[in-house]
Amino acid sequence: MDLDVFVSAHRAEWDRLDALLRRRRTLTGAEADELVTLYQRTATHLSLIQSSAPDPQLIGRLTPLVARARSAVTGTRRASWRDVTRFLTAGFPAAVYRARHWWIPTALLSTAVAALLGWWIGTHPDVQASIAAPDELRELTRPGGQYETYYSSHPAAAFAAQVWTNNAQAAAMCLVLGVFLGLPVLWILFQNMLNLGIGAGLMSSAGRLDTFLGLVLPHGLLELTAVFVAAGTGLRLGWTVIDPGPRSRRTALAEEGRAAIAMAIGLALVLFVSGAIEGFVTPSGLPTWARITIGLAAELAFLVYVQVLGARAVRAGDTGDVEAAERSASVPTAA
């Protein structure tokens, strides 16, 4: 393509589009139709230049022009309570439901790894000795020791906020770093399972595994589920880099990335609930069975929420991505 001839042939159209955009609030009906036509033609021109003769200066001129025209044609929309309702009843549960083939195996394998680590640490005194000195281990595991007082060492509200912040950051890292082929996600997941295995192993060696589970299960069920969902989704995003399927890699990453970012918001809400349980229920004076029942109820409520609303939304065609009107427009590739 002769770029100079192409520019000479279409410069008047681009200038006309720019002029219409400058006074778009006072356009007549015919001029509004002309603006739409010129937007479509200019978007096509930009696509042709990018693919056939990528001149940086010309692309730098047409890209913002096309963006302004698209904004004028499609308009802008403010978020509303309808968006929040749709996200909570369709978008978020659909995203979690679609990722179930990744996060459920992740949860099962991770739990098995944590249990194996706990057994290994609990049955090998030499491994325990490499973790801490005998006096420190006794202080950790004794009745009223650090494992028990950890959950009541700070005011409940402040502790819940701190836990929520830390867990939300871990979940977000799993989702965002998944694009690096999922490798950072595996490391984050292993660190979480190692910490869980160390606690279970040390308390088990002291004959107090029941106490440990009574402290962890009330909040840990929902908290770990959220982490597993984030990790599974991050791994899926990493696999999309390797195998985008029938979509182009760019399109696949855009769609799955938007769904992952939306999931980070939803999981922050889930982790807020688990943080509240950890801050107010776990250290409370309630019987162990009552605390575990609260944790089980929260976990079952989340799973039912995903299964019922998520499956329904997926059957309706929802993928957890933003609505079609909010996605970037597909640029034509032919004149």
Side-chain angles (χ1 to χ4, degrees):
M1 180 174 66
D2 189 320
L3 192 60
D4 292 334
V5 172
F6 188 85
V7 171
S8 298
H10 298 291
R11 179 185 288 116
E13 293 176 312
W14 305 336
D15 291 341
R16 175 60 175 167
L17 176 59
D18 183 61
L20 291 174
L21 289 172
R22 291 180 185 278
R23 59 183 190 85
R24 61 183 179 178
R25 295 185 183 277
T26 60
L27 297 179
T28 64
E31 288 174 331
D33 291 339
E34 183 185 6
L35 187 150
V36 173
T37 301
L38 289 173
Y39 157 61
Q40 294 171 336
R41 291 182 62 82
T42 305
T44 301
H45 298 159
L46 176 60
S47 177
L48 288 171
I49 292 168
Q50 288 174 325
S51 60
S52 303
D55 179 75
Q57 184 175 358
L58 188 55
I59 291 175
R61 177 192 174 185
L62 293 184
T63 298
L65 181 62
V66 169
R68 288 167 53 209
R70 178 180 181 274
S71 177
V73 170
T74 61
T76 57
R77 186 174 64 84
R78 294 182 179 180
S80 64
W81 284 110
R82 172 185 172 277
D83 299 308
V84 176
T85 301
R86 179 196 168 273
F87 173 74
L88 293 177
T89 59
F92 174 56
V96 178
Y97 184 81
R98 284 183 63 237
R100 68 192 184 283
H101 298 302
W102 285 89
W103 64 263
I104 291 178
T106 297
L108 296 176
L109 290 174
S110 299
T111 303
V113 168
L116 183 61
L117 288 171
W119 169 83
W120 181 55
I121 293 171
T123 56
H124 290 76
D126 55 325
V127 177
Q128 299 168 28
S130 68
I131 296 174
D135 290 343
E136 294 174 325
L137 294 178
R138 281 192 293 271
E139 179 59 30
L140 284 170
T141 59
R142 67 176 178 82
Q146 293 180 17
Y147 269 120
E148 292 185 41
T149 59
Y150 168 76
Y151 296 100
S152 56
S153 57
H154 301 283
F159 183 68
Q162 179 183 354
V163 167
W164 174 51
T165 301
N166 292 339
N167 290 333
Q169 287 176 344
M173 288 176 62
C174 285
L175 292 167
V176 173
L177 297 179
V179 73
F180 297 104
L181 304 183
L183 298 179
V185 178
L186 295 175
W187 176 248
I188 294 172
L189 197 57
F190 176 74
Q191 289 296 311
N192 276 272
M193 294 306 100
L194 178 60
N195 290 334
L196 184 62
I198 289 175
L202 293 180
M203 290 292 277
S204 175
S205 67
R208 308 193 67 229
L209 182 61
D210 56 337
T211 301
F212 177 78
L213 294 177
L215 291 170
V216 170
L217 289 179
H219 64 273
L221 290 171
L222 187 59
E223 177 184 300
L224 287 175
T225 298
V227 171
F228 294 146
V229 170
T233 304
L235 292 174
R236 176 174 144 178
L237 185 61
W239 183 252
T240 301
V241 178
I242 300 172
D243 181 14
R247 301 167 293 180
S248 69
R249 183 168 282 103
R250 179 178 179 179
T251 299
L253 283 174
E255 293 176 356
E256 300 301 336
R258 287 192 299 261
I261 292 173
M263 189 180 287
I265 299 172
L267 290 178
L269 298 176
V270 175
L271 289 168
F272 177 81
V273 175
S274 71
I277 294 174
E278 187 169 359
F280 293 95
V281 176
T282 298
S284 70
L286 292 172
T288 300
W289 66 266
R291 290 186 279 112
I292 293 178
T293 299
I294 292 173
L296 280 172
E299 172 74 358
L300 289 175
F302 176 70
L303 295 178
V304 170
Y305 162 76
V306 170
Q307 178 62 35
V308 174
L309 297 184
R312 184 175 67 186
V314 168
R315 286 194 299 268
D318 203 318
T319 63
D321 197 357
V322 297
E323 295 187 80
E326 299 300 310
R327 302 171 197 166
S328 299
S330 298
V331 178
T333 55

